Amino acid sequence: MTLPSTETILAAAGLLATALIWAVDRFLPGRKRIGYRVQMDTAIGMNPQAAHNIVQLRLLRADREITGATLALLRIENDGSKDIVRQDYQEPLTVDFAGRTVVGVEVPDANPPNLAAMLTRNGGLRPDGSRLTLPRVPLNKRNHFKLLVLLSGTGSGERVTLEGFLSGGRIVRNAQRRGPQPVSLALGSVFIILVGLLGGLQLSGSEDPPRSECAAGRLTVTGSSAFARLTSLISTAYERQCPEAEITVAESASLTALQELNSLGKARSGAPARIAVSDGPAPRSFQQLRGQPAGVVIFSVMVNKDTGVHNLTLRQLRDVYAGKYRNWNQLNGNDREIRFVSRTSNSGTRKVFEQKVLRGGTEPVASSDDCRNKDRIPSARFVNCELSSTDQLVAEVNRVPGAIGYGEMSAATKQPNVNRLLLDGGEPDIERVRQNTYPFWAVENFYTYGPPKDGSLTAKFLTYLSSDTAKNTMRTYGHVPCADLRARPDSPCAQP
């Protein structure tokens, strides 16, 4: 019998070692692992020259032409040996399409099917340039989902990466499963996939889209810092579609904006070209103001990460603001003094927080200007500073050790040292709002002084808030358009 050569033995040993490493990595008890692969990344070949004699074709989304469009299909799966829960994500998953811009995204396949709803609920998929941030969704063993992403610009599947930090595990790129790879999509396929899945897309001739919703003139929109960024984006989209309109967005506290609108209306004896945005309804004393609900904004309580606290009951949170705790170690957190970062008294967000979360309770006295020391009132029990905008508040919570504050839900994701607190073990979402198990939310109302004149820029812009462009913008930032909720019997979007 001929013995195997040394080279054969070494080759077999190498294969065995490779298989063993793979098995340990994937199936070691307690190992958590998320795998991903790019199943398709292809240019959308519409071949407009072949159809030139019939029609000049363009691919549009929200009335903007997409140049160099590509479609990417990603599969993301739990291919480890242990279930993954939301708390396992120390950092959210983020897909980076280097060199390209994310235009739209949908979830065409998920197992189990409810994963698709969890990913897309409240604008959970958040595009930002080349990056797409995913919500923290639980993934049991062998669960998976796919993302169909429309992109503009040049790039390739090899440059697509999935990043994040998984406690007790890792994220790996799996080998591509070989099979027929489409190099282009026919025009009919583009229409079916893009219009059916991504929405808001259209194939158009060279004529401009209809602009019956346009009006000329100037309009000022003030109020709600929680909604200011969205208002600015929606206004910019309207101006792009209606170039004779000029809309100025000025961020301020809700009550301040309502007071200014009321004063202007009385002084001019008529409706000024002005809208005030308010977190929740306006005070009843403003009898001439007329409101239109635009969207449900879900707020969250947030803390500096060094507090070591991730979850509080509503009772504990109320006791924190009532002064029953002085240090986070009393709540199973780290040894850090509790410091409060609040909004000013004319803030709509503060009003919602005190009414719905604290249930009529109040916040500690404003004792600090720098949010670290009691430099205003040295004898006060707590450090508490008051700020005029959501962005300022979140920045201070990020900067100040032991800080706690509150604000619009997605604002917390913009700072690396801020955690959103779970309340009674649950995350903020619209289903909990409907079930009356999450209290911290408000309807953003757009107020005018009396009814706006038909055909005016004010009236046209208010109508535009129900457009696909405006609704998609709200969803991107985790808000729920009232246009999606009014037909529901449990809709929170009642007329103010």
Side-chain angles (χ1 to χ4, degrees):
M1 181 177 66
T2 302
L3 295 175
S5 66
T6 302
E7 290 80 2
T8 302
I9 294 173
L10 291 175
L15 289 172
L16 180 61
T18 301
L20 182 61
I21 292 170
W22 176 86
V24 168
D25 178 66
R26 179 166 292 199
F27 299 114
L28 183 68
R31 187 66 168 169
K32 299 171 187 174
R33 168 174 152 145
I34 289 178
Y36 75 99
R37 62 178 179 270
V38 181
Q39 294 187 309
M40 178 185 76
D41 195 329
T42 183
I44 300 174
M46 292 192 296
N47 193 14
Q49 292 300 320
H52 186 271
N53 293 331
I54 304 173
V55 64
Q56 183 179 351
L57 296 173
R58 296 183 297 163
L59 182 62
L60 304 176
R61 188 174 196 270
D63 300 323
R64 297 188 66 181
E65 185 170 0
I66 301 172
T67 57
T70 55
L71 272 180
L73 182 66
L74 280 73
R75 178 186 171 100
I76 299 172
E77 57 196 338
N78 179 351
D79 58 2
S81 62
K82 192 173 182 181
D83 294 344
I84 295 170
V85 298
R86 287 187 175 94
Q87 288 75 15
D88 290 329
Y89 298 97
Q90 297 301 302
E91 295 292 341
L93 299 180
T94 302
V95 188
D96 187 16
F97 300 89
R100 290 182 281 181
T101 300
V102 178
V103 178
V105 58
E106 281 295 340
V107 184
D109 176 51
N111 178 32
N114 67 339
L115 264 178
M118 296 171 67
L119 287 160
T120 57
R121 184 169 56 203
N122 298 333
L125 297 167
R126 301 193 305 275
D128 183 12
S130 68
R131 299 173 70 83
L132 177 66
T133 302
L134 314 183
R136 295 174 169 89
V137 296
L139 282 175
N140 294 336
K141 289 181 291 184
R142 294 181 294 278
N143 282 178
H144 77 270
F145 59 87
K146 296 182 181 181
L147 300 175
L148 180 63
V149 188
L150 176 64
L151 303 144
S152 65
T154 57
S156 66
E158 288 74 17
R159 299 180 65 192
V160 177
T161 57
L162 180 67
E163 303 168 353
F165 184 76
L166 192 64
S167 178
R170 66 193 189 112
I171 300 165
V172 297
R173 182 172 186 138
N174 291 333
Q176 177 66 49
R177 292 182 182 174
R178 296 301 174 187
Q181 294 296 307
V183 295
S184 65
L185 297 175
L187 177 59
S189 299
V190 171
F191 186 84
I192 293 170
I193 294 174
L194 297 186
V195 177
L197 291 178
L198 296 179
L201 287 160
Q202 53 184 298
L203 292 171
S204 169
S206 58
E207 294 182 2
D208 289 334
R211 296 186 177 182
S212 58
E213 68 273 25
C214 289
R218 295 183 178 181
L219 173 66
T220 299
V221 184
T222 63
S224 180
S225 65
F227 214 68
R229 185 177 294 102
L230 278 176
T231 304
S232 180
L233 291 171
I234 294 170
S235 300
T236 299
Y238 184 88
E239 289 175 324
R240 189 163 51 240
Q241 185 168 322
C242 306
E244 295 183 355
E246 182 180 334
I247 303 175
T248 301
V249 178
E251 179 181 330
S252 69
S254 297
L255 184 58
T256 300
L258 293 169
Q259 290 170 335
E260 291 175 349
L261 174 62
N262 194 56
S263 298
L264 277 173
K266 287 182 177 180
R268 298 186 181 186
S269 300
R274 194 179 189 94
I275 294 173
V277 186
S278 173
D279 302 333
R284 294 182 179 179
S285 57
F286 297 134
Q287 297 180 359
Q288 297 301 317
L289 301 190
R290 299 291 181 269
Q292 173 178 311
V296 175
V297 175
I298 303 175
F299 301 99
S300 64
V301 181
M302 54 193 76
V303 294
N304 187 288
K305 285 184 178 180
D306 81 341
T307 61
V309 175
H310 302 277
N311 185 12
L312 291 178
T313 67
L314 280 170
R315 172 50 58 195
Q316 287 174 325
L317 180 62
R318 290 165 187 151
D319 287 346
V320 166
Y321 277 84
K324 294 185 180 180
Y325 302 103
R326 302 290 297 272
N327 194 296
W328 288 112
N329 61 16
Q330 296 174 274
L331 292 160
N332 299 317
N334 296 326
D335 184 13
R336 292 287 185 273
E337 176 189 351
I338 295 175
R339 292 184 171 98
F340 298 91
V341 183
S342 303
R343 293 292 306 280
T344 53
S345 59
N346 57 353
S347 161
T349 304
R350 175 170 175 165
K351 180 180 177 182
V352 173
F353 179 68
E354 292 182 344
Q355 288 181 347
K356 291 190 172 185
V357 180
L358 300 186
R359 289 189 175 175
T362 58
E363 301 177 46
V365 64
S367 62
S368 174
D369 288 325
D370 67 0
C371 300
R372 287 176 176 265
N373 305 289
K374 291 177 279 191
D375 48 5
R376 291 182 59 183
I377 307 178
S379 61
R381 290 189 67 204
F382 295 96
V383 170
N384 183 27
C385 61
E386 294 183 352
L387 301 169
S388 59
S389 75
T390 297
D391 287 345
Q392 290 175 339
L393 183 147
V394 179
E396 287 304 300
V397 172
N398 181 74
R399 184 180 70 90
V400 175
I404 181 173
Y406 49 83
E408 178 257 321
M409 182 175 64
S410 67
T413 64
K414 300 181 180 71
Q415 297 288 351
N417 206 32
V418 175
N419 277 338
R420 294 191 314 203
L421 284 181
L422 302 180
L423 295 182
D424 287 334
E427 295 183 344
D429 63 55
I430 191 61
E431 291 306 318
R432 294 189 69 206
V433 169
R434 290 192 184 111
Q435 296 164 8
N436 202 30
T437 58
Y438 187 81
F440 200 9
W441 58 274
V443 175
E444 292 295 323
N445 295 298
F446 281 55
Y447 281 94
T448 58
Y449 189 87
K453 183 179 178 181
D454 289 344
S456 66
L457 177 55
T458 303
K460 295 288 189 180
F461 183 70
L462 290 174
T463 300
Y464 187 72
L465 294 175
S466 298
S467 69
D468 287 341
T469 298
K471 290 189 293 184
N472 288 337
T473 304
M474 293 184 206
R475 295 181 189 119
T476 298
Y477 281 83
H479 305 326
V480 184
C482 279
D484 291 350
L485 297 173
R486 289 194 184 103
R488 297 179 62 104
D490 57 351
S491 171
C493 291
Q495 281 293 136

